[in-house]
Amino acid sequence: MAEVTYRSPGSLTFKNGDFILDQKPLRILSGTMHYFRVVPEYWEDRLLKMKACGLNTVETYVAWNKHEEYPGQFNFDGILDVRKFVQVAKKVGLYVIFRPGPYICAEWDFGGLPSWLLTDEKMKVRSNYQPYQDAVDRFFTKLLPLVTDLQYSKGGPIIAVQVENEFGSYSDEVEHLSFVKELLEKNGIQELLLTSENIFGLKRAAFYQHALPTANFPEMGDGQKLFDMIREWSPDFPLMVMEFWPGWFDHWGQGHKGLAMPLFENCLTGILDAGGSFNMYMFHGGTNFGFMAGANFFANSTYKPDITSYDYDAPLSEAGDITPKFLRAREIIFEKVLKPLGVTKLPDLPSNTPKASYVRNEVRCSSPIPMELLKIHGDYGQNYGYTLYRTTMPAGKCLQFSSLPQDRAQIFINGAFVHVIDWRNPGLEIDIVCTQDTNTLEILVENHGRVNYVEFGLNLLNEQRKGLSGDVSVDGKKLESWSIVPLEFDNDFVNNVSRCDKWVSTLPSSYSSPALFKATLTISDTPKDTFLCTKGWGKGIVFLNGFNLGRFWCVGPQQTLYVPAPLLKQGDNQILIFEQEAPGISIEFLDAPILNENDQQNVEDADKEYPTGS
């Protein structure tokens, strides 16, 4: 038995394996919802549905890379108004578990870390490397004062705050956890501190002297081992599953994942029968809007970028709909926890947001360095999107790269498509047929999402700069004099394109180069949630009234993009599609998602490993 274990200084404490709040035992029944994956107009709806399921707590991460797009340039407005989100949770009557990172994983680009950190070529993220510490210090100094008065001890709903995230899966430099803990406390955090780890990380980064250890798992086999380990450290520690995974996320080109209902029931029942508290990650997944979907990299596989939908097979769907999994969770929670406490009735189930099908039959056509090191935005480079590399080249038979493009490169010679290089189709040498003396070479490289999770011992997080790096040659002759064009699809660019009067109405049937397409959706009544169907299209991104809905790709499993009603308006709604490969001839708006349909000619084998954390 350890001689020294953590004691909570906050309002939420624990004793003999129970949480204690206001001198009464508390079973934490929590669900995860990320404010930055849900439009603000729907926050209260989703939180009320959590309450109706019997939950008493909501948990959220904080996305540093969205709040500080460039050093010292902070944004906490609209979908990023984390303070308002916590206040809405209090209004609904939910406690809050606050997980500010700075690293969050979350299938979010770079695990929530800003890509401008990689401007420093010696950067060591998630470590006590001083420039990284300085950046975290600046962010926490801005973020935490926004919520310190919302702690439970000050009349707010925040009852616990997490120190970093699944750190033992990445590193055993426990000193970094001490740095994060001290930074939290320096900036006014007074409530219970906790860590969360999966089966691989709990011992490797033991921090139980300074924070309550909690467990992450999808089934009770691993769960019981983690529970036993936590109880070994102290019989006072409550059993808390910080991430009970009721589903899973999807990678482009693979099958639609989830967790079957019997496995979900067994795990939830097992946690409650063991006397444990839980947080369902995710209870409501939401959407990886814009360019924010991340990627995974496992030692026994390859780079795997995540799809735009973060439906997660969660109890609340991507569009916030009540699912059979929600109803079964509600029954189990009521019977096993609430009914024995004397609760006779749960809140009535709120209605799902109305859906509509908007159908429109036509779309009228109208030396390389990584994006992070481009000398733009005050020398902090390009964060997201595409980068176009252009140069001239002589006749030749073989195009050669000194290092693989990151992450997906479409190669064009004299405007004609030649080849794609990506994690599914890697290669440093490409056979070409190029007989003219002077030719134009264009390489469009897509940042498909920075890795947010790597296994212990893989030093990948600091090395994932996107675009081209190193030499490109033809028959051994190095190509020089490159023109590099960042295609960030930022607000100004999208607005200017929308107003452009150079659109054309027809396109050759054989056209296969990247292009922008424009259409109008006219709605005569009050807008409702809908799903933009991308079947018949190749690969690209969609903007609706200037809002980036995210990526689509015909390889699936996702074939629709979720459109929350608040993004629509009565009257005309403008749609912009950046299609990289094969334009379609029509788009449809459906009243249900398609998240499990693959192009069988392109589908990859499903992951052999069960992923280990979020």
Side-chain angles (χ1 to χ4, degrees), residues 322-387:
I322 290 169
T323 68
K325 195 169 281 186
F326 177 104
L327 297 175
R328 187 67 184 109
R330 190 175 193 252
E331 293 172 354
I332 293 172
I333 292 168
F334 181 72
E335 290 297 326
K336 288 193 167 290
V337 180
L338 302 180
K339 193 174 179 180
L341 293 176
V343 177
T344 59
K345 186 178 184 296
L346 282 170
D348 292 337
L349 291 176
S351 299
N352 291 330
T353 54
K355 309 296 187 295
S357 176
Y358 298 115
V359 178
R360 189 172 183 87
N361 294 322
E362 294 182 67
V363 174
R364 296 199 176 273
C365 303
S366 51
S367 201
I369 58 174
M371 63 162 55
E372 294 85 357
L373 301 183
L374 295 176
K375 298 300 183 182
I376 59 175
H377 298 302
D379 293 345
Y380 281 104
Q382 179 184 354
N383 290 339
Y384 310 111
Y386 307 77
T387 307

Side-chain angles (χ1 to χ4, degrees), residues 261-280:
M261 186 70 82
L263 296 175
F264 171 76
E265 293 173 337
N266 290 342
C267 191
L268 179 56
T269 300
I271 293 167
L272 296 178
D273 286 347
S277 295
F278 67 80
N279 175 61
M280 284 193 208

